[in-house]
Amino acid sequence: MTVLLAATIHAGAATLVVDNRAKNAADTNPGTAEAPFFTINAAAQVAQPGDTVLVREGTYRERISPARGGTETDPVVYQALPGERVEVKGSEEWTAPWTPDSENPGIFSSPIPLDYFSEIPNPYTIGISIAGSDRRIVARPVKEDALEKPWTRTLGQIFVQDEPLTQVTSLELMRQMEGSWIVSA
């Protein structure tokens, strides 16, 4: 049995390389194997219909907003290099220090400067409402202990060792529930 694979590739199709682990990676690079982009979004800004964005192994913490899409016959293709693992996460690692609360053992705080979210809306100030009777996992896990009358929660989320914590609405609930967090202005 013979299998024939065929593809239409436009004449100017390019392969753009992204490698955030390469020492010389930069978003000002041309996106070649020798001079790769640092972020997938940088490649997404220059990719044209028919181009392939080849992403090397790594964790990419970024928002990807392509400047243009492909066409039915010339899609923009995003792919990992075969055999390499690529993770795209919208989250950022928080490296600021956490301070223990002297009045509440086991509770720590870390202030977020308001200008930290200068380029995007602050997800910790955007509320979503989930009714206490809603037991579905909507925007994040909701542990049964955290369910109460309707409350406002934010679009923000905190993970510790890749595990999501549960947002609660009071310091009292936070004291009672390990793995919880609260946001306060």
Side-chain angles (χ1 to χ4, degrees), residues 69-128:
T71 66
E72 188 174 327
T73 58
D74 288 319
V76 175
V77 176
Y78 295 82
Q79 68 181 47
L81 193 69
E84 295 191 0
R85 181 181 172 153
V86 172
E87 288 185 286
V88 178
K89 297 182 175 187
S91 59
E92 293 186 35
E93 290 184 286
W94 187 248
T95 57
W98 288 85
T99 306
D101 186 329
S102 60
E103 297 177 22
N104 296 289
I107 294 181
F108 298 80
S109 65
S110 184
I112 302 172
L114 292 178
D115 62 352
Y116 187 76
F117 296 101
S118 61
E119 295 182 24
I120 60 168
N122 183 338
Y124 297 100
T125 62
I126 300 171
I128 57 174

Side-chain angles (χ1 to χ4, degrees), residues 137 139-143 153 156-167 177-181:
I137 295 176
R140 65 188 53 81
V142 179
K143 294 183 182 171
R153 292 162 46 113
Q157 179 59 57
I158 297 176
F159 293 82
V160 174
Q161 298 174 341
D162 289 330
E163 291 297 320
L165 302 185
T166 299
Q167 184 178 4
M177 186 183 302
E178 187 174 311
S180 61
W181 67 279

